[in-house]
Short mmCIF file of all heavy atoms in Angstrom, two decimals:
data_model
loop_
_atom_site.label_atom_id
_atom_site.label_comp_id
_atom_site.label_asym_id
_atom_site.label_seq_id
_atom_site.Cartn_x
_atom_site.Cartn_y
_atom_site.Cartn_z
N GLU A 1 0.85 -1.18 0.06
CA GLU A 1 0.03 -0.05 -0.04
C GLU A 1 0.85 1.30 -0.04
O GLU A 1 2.01 1.22 0.35
CB GLU A 1 -0.93 -0.03 1.23
CG GLU A 1 -1.93 -1.06 1.22
CD GLU A 1 -2.93 -1.10 -0.06
OE1 GLU A 1 -3.41 0.06 -0.38
OE2 GLU A 1 -3.05 -2.16 -0.59
N ASN A 2 0.16 2.33 -0.34
CA ASN A 2 0.73 3.78 -0.34
C ASN A 2 0.00 4.39 0.66
O ASN A 2 -1.06 4.41 0.85
CB ASN A 2 0.57 4.29 -1.79
CG ASN A 2 1.09 5.74 -1.87
OD1 ASN A 2 1.93 6.11 -1.03
ND2 ASN A 2 0.66 6.54 -2.75
N THR A 3 0.78 5.27 1.47
CA THR A 3 0.16 6.14 2.29
C THR A 3 0.41 7.58 1.83
O THR A 3 1.32 7.73 1.13
CB THR A 3 0.71 6.04 3.84
OG1 THR A 3 -0.09 6.85 4.70
CG2 THR A 3 2.14 6.31 3.95
N LEU A 4 -0.51 8.35 2.13
CA LEU A 4 -0.43 9.73 1.55
C LEU A 4 -0.09 10.77 2.51
O LEU A 4 -0.15 10.58 3.65
CB LEU A 4 -1.72 10.06 0.73
CG LEU A 4 -2.17 9.01 -0.37
CD1 LEU A 4 -3.50 9.40 -0.81
CD2 LEU A 4 -1.21 9.13 -1.48
N SER A 5 0.10 11.93 2.05
CA SER A 5 0.38 13.11 2.79
C SER A 5 1.57 13.28 3.71
O SER A 5 1.51 13.81 4.76
CB SER A 5 -1.00 13.38 3.66
OG SER A 5 -2.10 13.47 2.83
N THR A 6 2.64 12.64 3.18
CA THR A 6 3.93 12.82 3.76
C THR A 6 4.95 13.14 2.69
O THR A 6 4.73 12.94 1.51
CB THR A 6 4.43 11.53 4.70
OG1 THR A 6 4.73 10.57 3.75
CG2 THR A 6 3.31 11.15 5.58
N ASP A 7 6.13 13.61 3.14
CA ASP A 7 7.09 14.14 2.14
C ASP A 7 7.72 13.02 1.36
O ASP A 7 8.36 13.33 0.24
CB ASP A 7 8.24 14.77 2.91
CG ASP A 7 7.82 16.10 3.52
OD1 ASP A 7 7.52 17.03 2.72
OD2 ASP A 7 7.76 16.18 4.72
N HIS A 8 7.42 11.71 1.50
CA HIS A 8 7.90 10.74 0.62
C HIS A 8 7.35 10.86 -0.76
O HIS A 8 7.96 10.53 -1.77
CB HIS A 8 7.58 9.39 1.23
CG HIS A 8 6.11 8.96 0.95
ND1 HIS A 8 5.21 9.38 1.89
CD2 HIS A 8 5.51 8.21 0.15
CE1 HIS A 8 4.06 8.96 1.40
NE2 HIS A 8 4.30 8.20 0.37
N GLU A 9 6.14 11.45 -0.83
CA GLU A 9 5.54 11.72 -2.18
C GLU A 9 6.36 12.59 -3.04
O GLU A 9 6.39 12.38 -4.26
CB GLU A 9 4.17 12.30 -1.97
CG GLU A 9 3.16 11.39 -1.36
CD GLU A 9 1.79 11.98 -1.20
OE1 GLU A 9 1.00 11.85 -2.25
OE2 GLU A 9 1.47 12.45 -0.27
N THR A 10 7.07 13.55 -2.46
CA THR A 10 7.99 14.47 -3.26
C THR A 10 8.93 13.53 -4.13
O THR A 10 9.21 13.70 -5.25
CB THR A 10 8.63 15.50 -2.41
OG1 THR A 10 7.58 16.31 -1.80
CG2 THR A 10 9.63 16.35 -3.14
N PHE A 11 9.67 12.63 -3.26
CA PHE A 11 10.71 11.93 -3.84
C PHE A 11 10.33 10.77 -4.78
O PHE A 11 10.87 10.45 -5.81
CB PHE A 11 11.62 11.41 -2.69
CG PHE A 11 12.29 12.59 -2.00
CD1 PHE A 11 11.66 13.13 -0.95
CD2 PHE A 11 13.44 13.07 -2.45
CE1 PHE A 11 12.18 14.28 -0.32
CE2 PHE A 11 14.00 14.18 -1.75
CZ PHE A 11 13.33 14.76 -0.69
N ASP A 12 9.08 10.27 -4.43
CA ASP A 12 8.51 9.30 -5.36
C ASP A 12 8.13 9.98 -6.67
O ASP A 12 8.29 9.23 -7.71
CB ASP A 12 7.17 8.82 -4.68
CG ASP A 12 6.60 7.61 -5.44
OD1 ASP A 12 7.23 6.62 -5.51
OD2 ASP A 12 5.43 7.79 -5.93
N HIS A 13 7.89 11.23 -6.77
CA HIS A 13 7.59 11.87 -8.00
C HIS A 13 8.85 11.75 -8.93
O HIS A 13 8.67 11.67 -10.18
CB HIS A 13 7.30 13.26 -7.72
CG HIS A 13 7.14 14.19 -9.00
ND1 HIS A 13 6.04 14.11 -9.78
CD2 HIS A 13 8.08 14.91 -9.51
CE1 HIS A 13 6.32 14.96 -10.84
NE2 HIS A 13 7.43 15.48 -10.61
N TYR A 14 10.06 11.79 -8.36
CA TYR A 14 11.27 11.71 -9.12
C TYR A 14 11.73 10.22 -9.40
O TYR A 14 12.86 9.96 -9.72
CB TYR A 14 12.35 12.39 -8.37
CG TYR A 14 12.08 14.00 -8.37
CD1 TYR A 14 11.45 14.55 -7.44
CD2 TYR A 14 12.60 14.80 -9.51
CE1 TYR A 14 11.24 15.97 -7.37
CE2 TYR A 14 12.28 16.14 -9.52
CZ TYR A 14 11.65 16.69 -8.43
OH TYR A 14 11.47 18.10 -8.44
N ASN A 15 10.87 9.31 -9.06
CA ASN A 15 11.13 7.91 -9.19
C ASN A 15 12.28 7.35 -8.40
O ASN A 15 12.98 6.45 -8.60
CB ASN A 15 11.28 7.42 -10.62
CG ASN A 15 11.24 5.89 -10.75
OD1 ASN A 15 10.37 5.24 -10.11
ND2 ASN A 15 11.85 5.35 -11.71
N ILE A 16 12.50 8.05 -7.20
CA ILE A 16 13.47 7.68 -6.21
C ILE A 16 12.58 6.66 -5.32
O ILE A 16 11.54 6.95 -4.81
CB ILE A 16 13.98 8.88 -5.44
CG1 ILE A 16 14.76 9.75 -6.19
CG2 ILE A 16 14.65 8.37 -4.13
CD1 ILE A 16 15.09 11.18 -5.73
N PRO A 17 13.16 5.52 -5.02
CA PRO A 17 12.40 4.50 -4.15
C PRO A 17 12.17 5.29 -2.78
O PRO A 17 13.03 5.59 -2.06
CB PRO A 17 13.37 3.39 -3.99
CG PRO A 17 14.26 3.49 -5.22
CD PRO A 17 14.39 4.91 -5.54
N SER A 18 10.86 5.43 -2.46
CA SER A 18 10.46 6.23 -1.28
C SER A 18 9.41 5.43 -0.46
O SER A 18 8.66 4.87 -1.01
CB SER A 18 9.73 7.53 -1.78
OG SER A 18 10.59 8.25 -2.64
N PHE A 19 9.75 5.51 0.81
CA PHE A 19 9.00 4.67 1.67
C PHE A 19 8.63 5.33 3.06
O PHE A 19 9.40 6.19 3.53
CB PHE A 19 9.94 3.38 2.11
CG PHE A 19 10.43 2.67 0.87
CD1 PHE A 19 11.69 3.04 0.36
CD2 PHE A 19 9.60 1.83 0.21
CE1 PHE A 19 12.15 2.43 -0.74
CE2 PHE A 19 10.15 1.23 -0.94
CZ PHE A 19 11.40 1.50 -1.39
N GLN A 20 7.49 5.07 3.57
CA GLN A 20 7.03 5.66 4.81
C GLN A 20 6.98 4.54 5.81
O GLN A 20 6.37 3.47 5.44
CB GLN A 20 5.69 6.28 4.60
CG GLN A 20 4.94 6.69 5.84
CD GLN A 20 5.52 7.76 6.70
OE1 GLN A 20 6.20 8.69 6.14
NE2 GLN A 20 5.38 7.67 7.93
N PHE A 21 7.48 4.74 6.95
CA PHE A 21 7.38 3.78 8.01
C PHE A 21 5.93 3.56 8.51
O PHE A 21 5.21 4.54 8.60
CB PHE A 21 8.21 4.04 9.23
CG PHE A 21 9.71 3.72 8.94
CD1 PHE A 21 10.59 4.85 8.54
CD2 PHE A 21 10.31 2.50 9.17
CE1 PHE A 21 11.98 4.57 8.31
CE2 PHE A 21 11.58 2.18 8.79
CZ PHE A 21 12.41 3.24 8.30
N LEU A 22 5.56 2.31 8.82
CA LEU A 22 4.20 2.04 9.31
C LEU A 22 4.36 2.06 10.82
O LEU A 22 5.23 1.32 11.40
CB LEU A 22 3.76 0.63 8.81
CG LEU A 22 2.62 0.00 9.24
CD1 LEU A 22 1.38 0.85 8.72
CD2 LEU A 22 2.47 -1.36 8.71
N GLN A 23 3.48 2.92 11.49
CA GLN A 23 3.69 3.01 12.97
C GLN A 23 2.31 2.80 13.66
O GLN A 23 1.24 2.88 13.09
CB GLN A 23 4.11 4.42 13.24
CG GLN A 23 5.47 4.89 12.82
CD GLN A 23 5.73 6.29 12.96
OE1 GLN A 23 5.54 7.08 12.08
NE2 GLN A 23 6.05 6.66 14.16
N ASP A 24 2.45 2.40 14.97
CA ASP A 24 1.30 2.35 15.76
C ASP A 24 0.71 3.73 15.87
O ASP A 24 1.37 4.80 16.06
CB ASP A 24 1.66 1.96 17.33
CG ASP A 24 1.94 0.53 17.45
OD1 ASP A 24 1.53 -0.32 16.51
OD2 ASP A 24 2.57 0.13 18.40
N PRO A 25 -0.64 3.87 15.75
CA PRO A 25 -1.26 5.23 15.69
C PRO A 25 -1.31 5.79 17.05
O PRO A 25 -1.46 7.04 17.13
CB PRO A 25 -2.58 4.96 15.09
CG PRO A 25 -3.00 3.54 15.40
CD PRO A 25 -1.58 2.86 15.40
N ILE A 26 -1.16 5.05 18.16
CA ILE A 26 -1.56 5.56 19.52
C ILE A 26 -2.63 6.51 19.51
O ILE A 26 -3.68 6.24 18.99
CB ILE A 26 -0.15 5.89 20.21
CG1 ILE A 26 0.60 6.90 19.55
CG2 ILE A 26 0.61 4.76 20.61
CD1 ILE A 26 1.81 7.48 20.22
N SER A 27 -2.43 7.68 20.00
CA SER A 27 -3.55 8.67 20.08
C SER A 27 -3.26 9.74 19.04
O SER A 27 -3.89 10.83 19.05
CB SER A 27 -3.84 9.24 21.40
OG SER A 27 -2.44 9.83 21.85
N TYR A 28 -2.40 9.56 18.09
CA TYR A 28 -1.94 10.57 17.18
C TYR A 28 -3.03 11.20 16.33
O TYR A 28 -3.26 12.40 16.37
CB TYR A 28 -0.85 10.02 16.12
CG TYR A 28 -0.24 10.89 15.29
CD1 TYR A 28 0.45 12.03 15.75
CD2 TYR A 28 -0.38 10.84 13.91
CE1 TYR A 28 1.05 13.03 14.76
CE2 TYR A 28 0.19 11.71 13.05
CZ TYR A 28 0.85 12.80 13.49
OH TYR A 28 1.39 13.65 12.64
N ARG A 29 -3.82 10.32 15.71
CA ARG A 29 -4.88 10.89 14.81
C ARG A 29 -6.09 11.44 15.58
O ARG A 29 -6.82 12.23 15.19
CB ARG A 29 -5.21 9.82 13.83
CG ARG A 29 -4.22 9.46 12.86
CD ARG A 29 -4.42 10.18 11.53
NE ARG A 29 -3.44 9.71 10.58
CZ ARG A 29 -2.62 10.58 9.98
NH1 ARG A 29 -2.55 11.73 10.32
NH2 ARG A 29 -1.67 10.06 9.11
N THR A 30 -6.26 10.80 16.78
CA THR A 30 -7.57 11.18 17.48
C THR A 30 -7.42 12.21 18.46
O THR A 30 -8.41 12.89 18.71
CB THR A 30 -8.05 9.89 18.14
OG1 THR A 30 -7.06 9.42 19.02
CG2 THR A 30 -8.46 8.73 17.24
N ILE A 31 -6.28 12.44 19.09
CA ILE A 31 -6.13 13.32 20.18
C ILE A 31 -5.02 14.41 19.92
O ILE A 31 -5.24 15.62 19.97
CB ILE A 31 -5.86 12.59 21.47
CG1 ILE A 31 -7.05 11.75 21.78
CG2 ILE A 31 -5.69 13.66 22.63
CD1 ILE A 31 -6.79 10.90 22.97
N THR A 32 -3.81 13.96 19.62
CA THR A 32 -2.58 14.94 19.57
C THR A 32 -2.44 15.51 18.20
O THR A 32 -1.79 16.54 18.14
CB THR A 32 -1.37 14.18 20.09
OG1 THR A 32 -1.11 13.18 19.17
CG2 THR A 32 -1.52 13.79 21.55
N HIS A 33 -2.80 14.94 17.16
CA HIS A 33 -2.45 15.38 15.87
C HIS A 33 -2.85 16.77 15.57
O HIS A 33 -4.00 17.07 15.57
CB HIS A 33 -3.09 14.40 14.71
CG HIS A 33 -2.67 14.72 13.36
ND1 HIS A 33 -3.58 14.96 12.38
CD2 HIS A 33 -1.48 14.63 12.79
CE1 HIS A 33 -2.90 15.19 11.24
NE2 HIS A 33 -1.67 14.93 11.39
N HIS A 34 -1.91 17.68 15.41
CA HIS A 34 -2.11 19.04 15.13
C HIS A 34 -3.02 19.74 16.11
O HIS A 34 -3.85 20.58 15.79
CB HIS A 34 -2.69 19.29 13.66
CG HIS A 34 -1.74 18.77 12.69
ND1 HIS A 34 -0.78 19.53 12.21
CD2 HIS A 34 -1.74 17.71 12.00
CE1 HIS A 34 -0.05 18.91 11.17
NE2 HIS A 34 -0.66 17.79 11.10
N THR A 35 -2.73 19.52 17.37
CA THR A 35 -3.46 20.16 18.50
C THR A 35 -2.46 20.72 19.44
O THR A 35 -1.33 20.41 19.34
CB THR A 35 -4.45 19.16 19.15
OG1 THR A 35 -3.72 18.24 20.05
CG2 THR A 35 -5.37 18.45 18.30
N HIS A 36 -3.00 21.38 20.47
CA HIS A 36 -2.26 21.84 21.51
C HIS A 36 -1.56 20.76 22.41
O HIS A 36 -0.70 21.00 23.15
CB HIS A 36 -2.95 22.89 22.42
CG HIS A 36 -3.99 22.27 23.12
ND1 HIS A 36 -5.26 21.87 22.51
CD2 HIS A 36 -4.18 21.99 24.39
CE1 HIS A 36 -5.99 21.30 23.48
NE2 HIS A 36 -5.36 21.40 24.60
N LEU A 37 -2.06 19.53 22.19
CA LEU A 37 -1.53 18.41 22.85
C LEU A 37 -0.43 17.63 22.15
O LEU A 37 0.08 16.64 22.70
CB LEU A 37 -2.63 17.37 23.21
CG LEU A 37 -3.82 17.85 24.11
CD1 LEU A 37 -4.88 16.89 24.25
CD2 LEU A 37 -3.27 18.23 25.55
N ASP A 38 -0.03 18.08 21.11
CA ASP A 38 1.06 17.55 20.21
C ASP A 38 2.34 17.93 20.75
O ASP A 38 3.12 18.77 20.34
CB ASP A 38 0.89 17.94 18.79
CG ASP A 38 1.56 16.98 17.85
OD1 ASP A 38 2.29 16.03 18.26
OD2 ASP A 38 1.41 17.14 16.68
N LEU A 39 2.75 17.37 22.00
CA LEU A 39 3.91 17.71 22.71
C LEU A 39 4.78 16.53 23.00
O LEU A 39 4.39 15.31 22.97
CB LEU A 39 3.46 18.25 24.14
CG LEU A 39 2.60 19.44 24.03
CD1 LEU A 39 1.88 19.71 25.50
CD2 LEU A 39 3.28 20.71 23.61
N PRO A 40 6.14 16.80 23.19
CA PRO A 40 7.06 15.63 23.42
C PRO A 40 6.60 14.81 24.69
O PRO A 40 7.01 13.58 24.70
CB PRO A 40 8.39 16.41 23.77
CG PRO A 40 8.27 17.73 23.05
CD PRO A 40 6.74 18.10 23.13
N GLU A 41 5.86 15.40 25.62
CA GLU A 41 5.53 14.52 26.72
C GLU A 41 4.66 13.39 26.30
O GLU A 41 4.55 12.41 27.16
CB GLU A 41 4.81 15.48 27.79
CG GLU A 41 5.70 16.52 28.56
CD GLU A 41 5.86 17.73 27.65
OE1 GLU A 41 5.25 17.98 26.54
OE2 GLU A 41 6.68 18.59 28.04
N TYR A 42 4.04 13.32 25.22
CA TYR A 42 3.11 12.38 24.76
C TYR A 42 3.79 11.36 23.96
O TYR A 42 3.27 10.36 23.44
CB TYR A 42 1.92 12.86 24.05
CG TYR A 42 1.00 13.59 24.94
CD1 TYR A 42 1.00 15.00 25.04
CD2 TYR A 42 -0.02 12.91 25.68
CE1 TYR A 42 0.14 15.62 25.89
CE2 TYR A 42 -0.84 13.50 26.55
CZ TYR A 42 -0.80 14.92 26.69
OH TYR A 42 -1.61 15.56 27.40
N ILE A 43 5.20 11.47 23.84
CA ILE A 43 5.92 10.41 23.03
C ILE A 43 6.31 9.23 24.06
O ILE A 43 7.04 9.46 24.99
CB ILE A 43 7.24 11.09 22.55
CG1 ILE A 43 6.85 12.20 21.48
CG2 ILE A 43 8.15 9.99 21.82
CD1 ILE A 43 8.08 13.02 20.99
N PRO A 44 5.86 8.03 23.66
CA PRO A 44 6.26 6.89 24.51
C PRO A 44 7.79 6.70 24.35
O PRO A 44 8.33 6.41 23.31
CB PRO A 44 5.52 5.79 23.92
CG PRO A 44 4.49 6.31 23.09
CD PRO A 44 4.92 7.68 22.56
#
């Protein structure tokens, strides 16, 4: 699969083998993503 909306897409455009790491979502998308809670204290 391809994941979107990260900088790997720029390099993929140039046919450079480009890859995005697959990560546990934890609370990233639901709570901290682009909010005032997106702080280092929430990094496991």
